[in-house]
Amino acid sequence: MTVQSYRLGEIAEALGAELRGDPETRVSGLATLQAAGPDQLSFLANPAYAKHLADTRAAAVILSPAAAGDNPTNVLLLNNPYLGYARLSHWFDPVPVAPPGIHPAAVVDPSATIAINAYIGPTAVIEAGAVIGDRVAIGAGSVIGARTTIGAGSIIRPRVTLAHDVMVGQRCHILSGAVIGSDGFGFANEKGQWHRIAQLGRVVLGDDVEVGANTTIDRGALDDTVIGNGVKLDNLIQIAHNVRIGDHSAMAAMVGISGSTKIGSHCVFGGASGVAGHLEIANQVHLTGMTLVTGDIREPGVYSSGTSADTNRRWRKNAVRFRQLDTLARRVKELEKKSEG
């Protein structure tokens, strides 16, 4: 593997950062403050790690102007060091770039439309009427269903399944094991027996959407399931049918969103959060980890539920008291009435 190196001067220019140090110093990778060597670049985004600045061997450190004191190395000053690190991470990403073309072991229906500069990996299946846009890469073993469209610059990792009539925007990134457009959980009950309801809607992903490994997004029952522009979904997330997620929202692993719920834009859901069905969540709502939402949230803000871990003995006592809260509340109400009388 060829190791690419860059001058600090060109890095500073690309990031729009102020360089304090030697612009000719070259770096060939990224590392933490503790592990960085003399040819690597590091960053300081969390003040808790500032103690490692004095001893770092990094060629340069990206940090904020407020943290730019007496540093033993070159520094790149940015108001958002973590964003600088994020942008530079792509410069050193070792993931192989797929060359344009269709692998001989791929199965492509003659009616599918494949851009000349797209890549279709071995054993991938492209079904009838699918449209694969410019510079799209389809990983090995992935299945692209009938009439599904994938926008320019999107990357579909190995073993992804996109069912029929899915629409994927531009520059999306879908990781291995994801299933998009599977049938929603829809059944009608008659006399104790369940009857399947055909799921007639689609899944529509906006631009710059990321879908984590083994995440599932169900197609709509009638209307579409819609994931807005810039949404980031972690691994092992379940998005049920007819859910709508607003632009630039992010969800950590094991979040579950029940059917027909509408999520606003710029929301952040912590790991293992759950939202019941047919609810509306406002813009800029932050759910902390393992929060359960059973009613509409109409105001932006941070919301929590659940309790932290405790010793089993104390937890059992508190659980008993929790079940007594309603009785206690009624007694308090009666006492207030008597005191008012």
Side-chain angles (χ1 to χ4, degrees):
M1 181 178 67
T2 302
V3 177
Q4 182 69 50
S5 67
Y6 302 92
R7 295 170 48 252
L8 282 183
E10 63 182 313
I11 292 175
E13 183 177 359
L15 296 181
E18 177 187 344
L19 171 61
R20 293 184 183 176
D22 180 9
E24 299 303 317
T25 298
R26 301 192 75 87
V27 296
S28 56
L30 300 173
T32 63
L33 287 170
Q34 304 97 302
D39 64 341
Q40 293 178 306
L41 184 69
S42 190
F43 67 99
L44 175 63
N46 187 335
Y49 294 97
K51 60 187 178 184
H52 299 296
L53 267 177
D55 299 323
T56 187
R57 297 172 59 239
V61 178
I62 306 172
L63 42 69
S64 68
D70 295 329
N71 298 295
T73 185
N74 302 303
V75 297
L76 295 163
L77 300 181
L78 277 176
N79 289 329
N80 189 341
Y82 199 63
L83 178 60
Y85 155 68
R87 292 173 59 187
L88 281 180
S89 67
H90 298 282
W91 293 30
F92 301 102
D93 189 353
V95 173
V97 177
I102 301 174
H103 193 279
V107 179
V108 179
D109 189 276
S111 67
T113 301
I114 313 291
I116 194 170
N117 56 0
Y119 167 76
I120 310 298
T123 70
V125 176
I126 313 297
E127 295 185 352
V131 178
I132 311 300
D134 288 337
R135 306 180 312 283
V136 168
I138 308 294
S142 288
V143 176
I144 310 302
R147 301 176 300 278
T148 282
T149 64
I150 302 176
S154 291
I155 298 173
I156 311 299
R157 295 293 184 188
R159 296 185 297 102
V160 168
T161 299
L162 304 183
H164 62 280
D165 297 303
V166 170
M167 295 184 64
V168 176
Q170 300 182 75
R171 301 175 302 279
C172 292
H173 190 184
I174 303 176
L175 302 187
S176 296
V179 179
I180 299 177
S182 54
D183 282 357
F185 193 67
F187 298 88
N189 189 286
E190 182 187 23
K191 299 178 180 178
Q193 295 187 358
W194 296 101
H195 300 268
R196 183 177 176 276
I197 300 171
Q199 305 293 287
L200 307 180
R202 306 172 299 169
V203 173
V204 178
L205 271 59
D207 297 335
D208 303 299
V209 172
E210 300 220 8
V211 179
N214 296 317
T215 283
T216 58
I217 305 175
D218 292 346
R219 67 190 318 105
L222 291 172
D223 298 331
D224 297 333
T225 301
V226 179
I227 310 298
N229 296 326
V231 169
K232 311 301 182 188
L233 302 177
D234 197 359
N235 304 333
L236 296 168
I237 288 175
Q238 159 66 10
I239 307 296
H241 57 189
N242 300 107
V243 167
R244 303 180 76 90
I245 301 177
D247 295 348
H248 305 293
S249 289
M251 298 182 182
M254 300 180 70
V255 165
I257 310 297
S258 299
S260 300
T261 283
K262 183 177 180 181
I263 310 293
S265 61
H266 299 279
C267 292
V268 178
F269 289 3
S273 298
V275 183
H278 303 275
L279 301 182
E280 291 197 14
I281 308 297
N283 298 335
Q284 298 180 344
V285 167
H286 183 175
L287 304 181
T288 58
M290 301 189 73
T291 296
L292 175 62
V293 179
T294 58
D296 293 342
I297 297 179
R298 302 189 182 278
E299 298 292 334
V302 180
Y303 294 81
S304 301
S305 70
T307 58
S308 299
D310 204 343
T311 62
N312 180 259
R313 183 176 180 181
R314 190 157 50 197
W315 183 88
R316 288 164 65 97
K317 287 181 178 180
N318 289 333
V320 170
R321 289 174 178 140
F322 182 80
R323 290 195 296 268
Q324 296 170 344
L325 285 179
D326 184 63
T327 301
L328 291 172
R330 293 174 184 274
R331 290 176 62 185
V332 169
K333 192 171 182 179
E334 289 298 323
L335 289 171
E336 287 177 343
K337 287 181 179 178
K338 290 180 180 178
S339 65
E340 289 172 359

